[in-house]
Amino acid sequence: MLKNAEEGAKKRRAAKREKFIQLAESRTINAIKAIRVIGKLGNKSAYEFDESDVRKIVSALNREVDALKARMTSPAGKETVDFKL
């Protein structure tokens, strides 16, 4: 009976790991694509912006990366998204 419970627990852990890998890869790819789309705003012939706009965007992205690190290492983390130029 104990052996069956241990095997069941191993299978659940493996399934959770597989789900994590699947979602982490998909969401990371989506985040990279979104960052690249933001990068396209750097086309000065199509858009008007200054260095302070760039700093604000980069700062907001860095804050979110820091929040991501915190959420991955600690269960408590912020979920709000706040950004204004």
Side-chain angles (χ1 to χ4, degrees):
M1 181 74 169
L2 184 59
K3 186 172 178 127
N4 286 341
E6 288 175 4
E7 288 177 12
K10 282 183 181 180
K11 286 181 182 179
R12 283 190 297 279
R13 279 195 302 275
K16 284 183 175 184
R17 177 70 185 158
E18 287 301 315
K19 186 66 170 179
F20 173 80
I21 289 170
Q22 175 191 7
L23 290 174
E25 288 176 350
S26 170
R27 291 176 184 183
T28 302
I29 288 167
N30 289 340
I32 291 168
K33 286 179 182 178
I35 290 169
R36 288 179 180 167
V37 170
I38 293 169
K40 291 179 182 182
L41 292 171
N43 180 351
K44 289 224 179 222
S45 65
Y47 306 106
E48 179 66 35
F49 59 93
D50 59 29
E51 188 62 32
S52 72
D53 295 325
V54 174
R55 281 194 304 272
K56 288 175 186 176
I57 292 169
V58 171
S59 176
L61 293 172
N62 284 332
R63 272 194 316 272
E64 286 305 312
V65 169
D66 291 342
L68 163 70
K69 290 176 190 176
R71 282 192 299 270
M72 297 294 284
T73 59
S74 165
K78 113 178 178 177
E79 288 290 329
T80 61
V81 174
D82 49 342
F83 175 74
K84 285 268 193 204
L85 280 179

